[in-house]
Amino acid sequence: MPQVTADAWAPVPPETAFAVSQTTGEVRLRWDPFIRRQQLVDADRPGKGVHTLTWARVGPRMESVYVSYRPPTSVGMTMVTGPWFFASFGGGWRFTPETVDGVAGTRASWKYTYSVRPGWLAPVAHPLGQWLLGREIRARIAAFTRACEDPVVLAAVGVDTSSGP
């Protein structure tokens, strides 16, 4: 199955990076360029076994389920139902501590795996998917790293960004 990956560094600890990645509602819409709308199904917060409905900015809707949820290191999801052209779709996001230029932070590594249907379309659809999903995952992880420095997003996940004497 084809995969697209992206990674980026953020100057926050893994606990904060993970929390930012799991924001919902208006806070999520503030930073995530991929989604137009998102909601948890019969749950108040993300977690293993929780279903999510996501409407992409470009139109398609997908229902996914968290197959793993391990704060602050990783989260994984798989498609339950989605656009007709995906036979399968899954994603995993990992967060590992990494120091860059003496600054402690987190390396975020995101991977999406997918297959298309009908199968005979794969020779054309897989390269198109690599380009389109690759572009989306790179834009999304770049927005995520910016969110890790956004005082509004950080405040929403409980990080005190005030700097006083």
Side-chain angles (χ1 to χ4, degrees), residues 137-163:
I137 196 172
R138 287 187 300 275
R140 197 174 194 191
I141 204 167
F144 161 78
T145 59
R146 290 189 299 274
C148 286
E149 297 187 79
D150 180 334
V152 172
V153 174
L154 293 174
V157 298
V159 175
D160 182 6
T161 60
S162 65
S163 55

PDB file of all heavy atoms in Angstrom, residues 137-163:
ATOM      1  N   ILE A 137      -0.366  16.479   3.748  1.00  0.00           N
ATOM      2  CA  ILE A 137       0.283  16.128   5.011  1.00  0.00           C
ATOM      3  C   ILE A 137       1.410  17.112   5.329  1.00  0.00           C
ATOM      4  O   ILE A 137       1.612  17.475   6.486  1.00  0.00           O
ATOM      5  CB  ILE A 137       0.773  14.653   5.011  1.00  0.00           C
ATOM      6  CG1 ILE A 137       1.080  14.184   6.446  1.00  0.00           C
ATOM      7  CG2 ILE A 137       2.001  14.465   4.131  1.00  0.00           C
ATOM      8  CD1 ILE A 137       1.380  12.697   6.544  1.00  0.00           C
ATOM      9  N   ARG A 138       2.129  17.581   4.307  1.00  0.00           N
ATOM     10  CA  ARG A 138       3.185  18.572   4.551  1.00  0.00           C
ATOM     11  C   ARG A 138       2.607  19.899   5.023  1.00  0.00           C
ATOM     12  O   ARG A 138       3.130  20.527   5.956  1.00  0.00           O
ATOM     13  CB  ARG A 138       4.049  18.746   3.308  1.00  0.00           C
ATOM     14  CG  ARG A 138       4.978  17.560   3.049  1.00  0.00           C
ATOM     15  CD  ARG A 138       5.944  17.823   1.903  1.00  0.00           C
ATOM     16  NE  ARG A 138       5.274  18.085   0.634  1.00  0.00           N
ATOM     17  CZ  ARG A 138       4.865  17.157  -0.217  1.00  0.00           C
ATOM     18  NH1 ARG A 138       5.044  15.886   0.058  1.00  0.00           N
ATOM     19  NH2 ARG A 138       4.284  17.496  -1.345  1.00  0.00           N
ATOM     20  N   ALA A 139       1.513  20.341   4.399  1.00  0.00           N
ATOM     21  CA  ALA A 139       0.870  21.589   4.828  1.00  0.00           C
ATOM     22  C   ALA A 139       0.295  21.441   6.230  1.00  0.00           C
ATOM     23  O   ALA A 139       0.391  22.351   7.057  1.00  0.00           O
ATOM     24  CB  ALA A 139      -0.233  21.981   3.843  1.00  0.00           C
ATOM     25  N   ARG A 140      -0.253  20.294   6.516  1.00  0.00           N
ATOM     26  CA  ARG A 140      -0.880  20.061   7.818  1.00  0.00           C
ATOM     27  C   ARG A 140       0.162  20.026   8.931  1.00  0.00           C
ATOM     28  O   ARG A 140      -0.044  20.610   9.992  1.00  0.00           O
ATOM     29  CB  ARG A 140      -1.652  18.747   7.753  1.00  0.00           C
ATOM     30  CG  ARG A 140      -2.642  18.569   8.849  1.00  0.00           C
ATOM     31  CD  ARG A 140      -3.459  17.323   8.619  1.00  0.00           C
ATOM     32  NE  ARG A 140      -4.627  17.331   9.489  1.00  0.00           N
ATOM     33  CZ  ARG A 140      -5.403  16.282   9.661  1.00  0.00           C
ATOM     34  NH1 ARG A 140      -5.146  15.143   9.032  1.00  0.00           N
ATOM     35  NH2 ARG A 140      -6.442  16.344  10.472  1.00  0.00           N
ATOM     36  N   ILE A 141       1.287  19.352   8.715  1.00  0.00           N
ATOM     37  CA  ILE A 141       2.295  19.278   9.773  1.00  0.00           C
ATOM     38  C   ILE A 141       2.986  20.630   9.958  1.00  0.00           C
ATOM     39  O   ILE A 141       3.364  20.989  11.076  1.00  0.00           O
ATOM     40  CB  ILE A 141       3.290  18.116   9.554  1.00  0.00           C
ATOM     41  CG1 ILE A 141       3.912  17.698  10.892  1.00  0.00           C
ATOM     42  CG2 ILE A 141       4.353  18.469   8.510  1.00  0.00           C
ATOM     43  CD1 ILE A 141       4.653  16.379  10.856  1.00  0.00           C
ATOM     44  N   ALA A 142       3.123  21.389   8.887  1.00  0.00           N
ATOM     45  CA  ALA A 142       3.681  22.747   9.021  1.00  0.00           C
ATOM     46  C   ALA A 142       2.743  23.620   9.857  1.00  0.00           C
ATOM     47  O   ALA A 142       3.191  24.380  10.725  1.00  0.00           O
ATOM     48  CB  ALA A 142       3.918  23.373   7.649  1.00  0.00           C
ATOM     49  N   ALA A 143       1.442  23.506   9.620  1.00  0.00           N
ATOM     50  CA  ALA A 143       0.465  24.259  10.408  1.00  0.00           C
ATOM     51  C   ALA A 143       0.486  23.802  11.865  1.00  0.00           C
ATOM     52  O   ALA A 143       0.361  24.611  12.789  1.00  0.00           O
ATOM     53  CB  ALA A 143      -0.927  24.104   9.815  1.00  0.00           C
ATOM     54  N   PHE A 144       0.657  22.508  12.077  1.00  0.00           N
ATOM     55  CA  PHE A 144       0.755  21.966  13.434  1.00  0.00           C
ATOM     56  C   PHE A 144       1.947  22.576  14.177  1.00  0.00           C
ATOM     57  O   PHE A 144       1.819  22.986  15.329  1.00  0.00           O
ATOM     58  CB  PHE A 144       0.881  20.439  13.377  1.00  0.00           C
ATOM     59  CG  PHE A 144       1.427  19.832  14.617  1.00  0.00           C
ATOM     60  CD1 PHE A 144       0.622  19.660  15.734  1.00  0.00           C
ATOM     61  CD2 PHE A 144       2.756  19.444  14.677  1.00  0.00           C
ATOM     62  CE1 PHE A 144       1.139  19.109  16.899  1.00  0.00           C
ATOM     63  CE2 PHE A 144       3.272  18.890  15.832  1.00  0.00           C
ATOM     64  CZ  PHE A 144       2.469  18.728  16.951  1.00  0.00           C
ATOM     65  N   THR A 145       3.099  22.670  13.527  1.00  0.00           N
ATOM     66  CA  THR A 145       4.270  23.232  14.213  1.00  0.00           C
ATOM     67  C   THR A 145       4.054  24.706  14.536  1.00  0.00           C
ATOM     68  O   THR A 145       4.483  25.170  15.596  1.00  0.00           O
ATOM     69  CB  THR A 145       5.572  23.040  13.405  1.00  0.00           C
ATOM     70  OG1 THR A 145       5.460  23.661  12.134  1.00  0.00           O
ATOM     71  CG2 THR A 145       5.890  21.559  13.223  1.00  0.00           C
ATOM     72  N   ARG A 146       3.368  25.431  13.656  1.00  0.00           N
ATOM     73  CA  ARG A 146       3.025  26.825  13.975  1.00  0.00           C
ATOM     74  C   ARG A 146       2.071  26.882  15.161  1.00  0.00           C
ATOM     75  O   ARG A 146       2.183  27.751  16.024  1.00  0.00           O
ATOM     76  CB  ARG A 146       2.437  27.536  12.754  1.00  0.00           C
ATOM     77  CG  ARG A 146       3.456  27.806  11.652  1.00  0.00           C
ATOM     78  CD  ARG A 146       2.904  28.689  10.555  1.00  0.00           C
ATOM     79  NE  ARG A 146       1.751  28.136   9.865  1.00  0.00           N
ATOM     80  CZ  ARG A 146       1.803  27.297   8.828  1.00  0.00           C
ATOM     81  NH1 ARG A 146       2.977  26.919   8.343  1.00  0.00           N
ATOM     82  NH2 ARG A 146       0.695  26.856   8.269  1.00  0.00           N
ATOM     83  N   ALA A 147       1.130  25.941  15.221  1.00  0.00           N
ATOM     84  CA  ALA A 147       0.170  25.901  16.334  1.00  0.00           C
ATOM     85  C   ALA A 147       0.879  25.653  17.662  1.00  0.00           C
ATOM     86  O   ALA A 147       0.426  26.132  18.705  1.00  0.00           O
ATOM     87  CB  ALA A 147      -0.882  24.821  16.090  1.00  0.00           C
ATOM     88  N   CYS A 148       1.980  24.943  17.621  1.00  0.00           N
ATOM     89  CA  CYS A 148       2.746  24.667  18.842  1.00  0.00           C
ATOM     90  C   CYS A 148       3.423  25.917  19.398  1.00  0.00           C
ATOM     91  O   CYS A 148       3.997  25.881  20.488  1.00  0.00           O
ATOM     92  CB  CYS A 148       3.783  23.568  18.589  1.00  0.00           C
ATOM     93  SG  CYS A 148       3.056  21.924  18.445  1.00  0.00           S
ATOM     94  N   GLU A 149       3.342  27.023  18.662  1.00  0.00           N
ATOM     95  CA  GLU A 149       3.866  28.301  19.142  1.00  0.00           C
ATOM     96  C   GLU A 149       2.780  29.371  19.213  1.00  0.00           C
ATOM     97  O   GLU A 149       3.067  30.523  19.524  1.00  0.00           O
ATOM     98  CB  GLU A 149       5.007  28.772  18.229  1.00  0.00           C
ATOM     99  CG  GLU A 149       6.189  27.812  18.245  1.00  0.00           C
ATOM    100  CD  GLU A 149       7.379  28.345  17.485  1.00  0.00           C
ATOM    101  OE1 GLU A 149       8.096  29.192  18.055  1.00  0.00           O
ATOM    102  OE2 GLU A 149       7.564  27.933  16.324  1.00  0.00           O
ATOM    103  N   ASP A 150       1.541  28.993  18.942  1.00  0.00           N
ATOM    104  CA  ASP A 150       0.413  29.920  18.956  1.00  0.00           C
ATOM    105  C   ASP A 150      -0.112  30.032  20.392  1.00  0.00           C
ATOM    106  O   ASP A 150      -0.596  29.046  20.956  1.00  0.00           O
ATOM    107  CB  ASP A 150      -0.673  29.389  18.021  1.00  0.00           C
ATOM    108  CG  ASP A 150      -1.907  30.274  17.952  1.00  0.00           C
ATOM    109  OD1 ASP A 150      -2.191  31.023  18.915  1.00  0.00           O
ATOM    110  OD2 ASP A 150      -2.617  30.185  16.927  1.00  0.00           O
ATOM    111  N   PRO A 151      -0.042  31.232  20.999  1.00  0.00           N
ATOM    112  CA  PRO A 151      -0.483  31.389  22.390  1.00  0.00           C
ATOM    113  C   PRO A 151      -1.936  30.966  22.630  1.00  0.00           C
ATOM    114  O   PRO A 151      -2.253  30.439  23.695  1.00  0.00           O
ATOM    115  CB  PRO A 151      -0.305  32.885  22.666  1.00  0.00           C
ATOM    116  CG  PRO A 151       0.659  33.361  21.639  1.00  0.00           C
ATOM    117  CD  PRO A 151       0.488  32.476  20.444  1.00  0.00           C
ATOM    118  N   VAL A 152      -2.814  31.165  21.661  1.00  0.00           N
ATOM    119  CA  VAL A 152      -4.215  30.780  21.832  1.00  0.00           C
ATOM    120  C   VAL A 152      -4.346  29.259  21.900  1.00  0.00           C
ATOM    121  O   VAL A 152      -5.044  28.707  22.758  1.00  0.00           O
ATOM    122  CB  VAL A 152      -5.091  31.370  20.702  1.00  0.00           C
ATOM    123  CG1 VAL A 152      -6.516  30.831  20.756  1.00  0.00           C
ATOM    124  CG2 VAL A 152      -5.073  32.889  20.750  1.00  0.00           C
ATOM    125  N   VAL A 153      -3.672  28.567  20.995  1.00  0.00           N
ATOM    126  CA  VAL A 153      -3.718  27.104  20.979  1.00  0.00           C
ATOM    127  C   VAL A 153      -3.052  26.555  22.246  1.00  0.00           C
ATOM    128  O   VAL A 153      -3.594  25.651  22.898  1.00  0.00           O
ATOM    129  CB  VAL A 153      -3.045  26.541  19.709  1.00  0.00           C
ATOM    130  CG1 VAL A 153      -2.964  25.017  19.758  1.00  0.00           C
ATOM    131  CG2 VAL A 153      -3.791  27.003  18.458  1.00  0.00           C
ATOM    132  N   LEU A 154      -1.898  27.102  22.588  1.00  0.00           N
ATOM    133  CA  LEU A 154      -1.197  26.627  23.783  1.00  0.00           C
ATOM    134  C   LEU A 154      -2.032  26.846  25.044  1.00  0.00           C
ATOM    135  O   LEU A 154      -2.091  25.968  25.915  1.00  0.00           O
ATOM    136  CB  LEU A 154       0.168  27.298  23.895  1.00  0.00           C
ATOM    137  CG  LEU A 154       1.164  26.897  22.810  1.00  0.00           C
ATOM    138  CD1 LEU A 154       2.438  27.728  22.923  1.00  0.00           C
ATOM    139  CD2 LEU A 154       1.473  25.413  22.862  1.00  0.00           C
ATOM    140  N   ALA A 155      -2.692  27.981  25.150  1.00  0.00           N
ATOM    141  CA  ALA A 155      -3.553  28.232  26.307  1.00  0.00           C
ATOM    142  C   ALA A 155      -4.690  27.213  26.362  1.00  0.00           C
ATOM    143  O   ALA A 155      -5.069  26.745  27.441  1.00  0.00           O
ATOM    144  CB  ALA A 155      -4.096  29.659  26.264  1.00  0.00           C
ATOM    145  N   ALA A 156      -5.214  26.841  25.202  1.00  0.00           N
ATOM    146  CA  ALA A 156      -6.317  25.878  25.150  1.00  0.00           C
ATOM    147  C   ALA A 156      -5.904  24.497  25.646  1.00  0.00           C
ATOM    148  O   ALA A 156      -6.744  23.740  26.126  1.00  0.00           O
ATOM    149  CB  ALA A 156      -6.867  25.787  23.737  1.00  0.00           C
ATOM    150  N   VAL A 157      -4.622  24.176  25.532  1.00  0.00           N
ATOM    151  CA  VAL A 157      -4.157  22.863  26.018  1.00  0.00           C
ATOM    152  C   VAL A 157      -3.490  22.976  27.397  1.00  0.00           C
ATOM    153  O   VAL A 157      -2.848  22.047  27.861  1.00  0.00           O
ATOM    154  CB  VAL A 157      -3.214  22.157  25.011  1.00  0.00           C
ATOM    155  CG1 VAL A 157      -3.952  21.895  23.700  1.00  0.00           C
ATOM    156  CG2 VAL A 157      -1.930  22.920  24.776  1.00  0.00           C
ATOM    157  N   GLY A 158      -3.651  24.154  28.017  1.00  0.00           N
ATOM    158  CA  GLY A 158      -3.193  24.307  29.401  1.00  0.00           C
ATOM    159  C   GLY A 158      -1.770  24.756  29.579  1.00  0.00           C
ATOM    160  O   GLY A 158      -1.217  24.636  30.678  1.00  0.00           O
ATOM    161  N   VAL A 159      -1.157  25.314  28.534  1.00  0.00           N
ATOM    162  CA  VAL A 159       0.206  25.835  28.652  1.00  0.00           C
ATOM    163  C   VAL A 159       0.137  27.311  28.976  1.00  0.00           C
ATOM    164  O   VAL A 159      -0.520  28.085  28.268  1.00  0.00           O
ATOM    165  CB  VAL A 159       1.008  25.604  27.356  1.00  0.00           C
ATOM    166  CG1 VAL A 159       2.377  26.254  27.431  1.00  0.00           C
ATOM    167  CG2 VAL A 159       1.141  24.116  27.074  1.00  0.00           C
ATOM    168  N   ASP A 160       0.811  27.715  30.043  1.00  0.00           N
ATOM    169  CA  ASP A 160       0.856  29.120  30.440  1.00  0.00           C
ATOM    170  C   ASP A 160       1.909  29.817  29.584  1.00  0.00           C
ATOM    171  O   ASP A 160       3.092  29.521  29.661  1.00  0.00           O
ATOM    172  CB  ASP A 160       1.220  29.234  31.917  1.00  0.00           C
ATOM    173  CG  ASP A 160       1.246  30.678  32.403  1.00  0.00           C
ATOM    174  OD1 ASP A 160       0.865  31.591  31.633  1.00  0.00           O
ATOM    175  OD2 ASP A 160       1.655  30.887  33.553  1.00  0.00           O
ATOM    176  N   THR A 161       1.451  30.730  28.738  1.00  0.00           N
ATOM    177  CA  THR A 161       2.366  31.439  27.843  1.00  0.00           C
ATOM    178  C   THR A 161       2.703  32.830  28.338  1.00  0.00           C
ATOM    179  O   THR A 161       3.413  33.572  27.667  1.00  0.00           O
ATOM    180  CB  THR A 161       1.766  31.531  26.422  1.00  0.00           C
ATOM    181  OG1 THR A 161       0.530  32.236  26.496  1.00  0.00           O
ATOM    182  CG2 THR A 161       1.573  30.154  25.808  1.00  0.00           C
ATOM    183  N   SER A 162       2.193  33.176  29.522  1.00  0.00           N
ATOM    184  CA  SER A 162       2.523  34.502  30.062  1.00  0.00           C
ATOM    185  C   SER A 162       3.954  34.503  30.564  1.00  0.00           C
ATOM    186  O   SER A 162       4.445  33.504  31.094  1.00  0.00           O
ATOM    187  CB  SER A 162       1.564  34.872  31.197  1.00  0.00           C
ATOM    188  OG  SER A 162       1.742  33.991  32.274  1.00  0.00           O
ATOM    189  N   SER A 163       4.616  35.578  30.331  1.00  0.00           N
ATOM    190  CA  SER A 163       5.993  35.687  30.815  1.00  0.00           C
ATOM    191  C   SER A 163       6.065  36.900  31.716  1.00  0.00           C
ATOM    192  O   SER A 163       6.030  38.036  31.265  1.00  0.00           O
ATOM    193  CB  SER A 163       6.969  35.794  29.651  1.00  0.00           C
ATOM    194  OG  SER A 163       6.618  36.876  28.810  1.00  0.00           O
TER     195      SER A 163
END
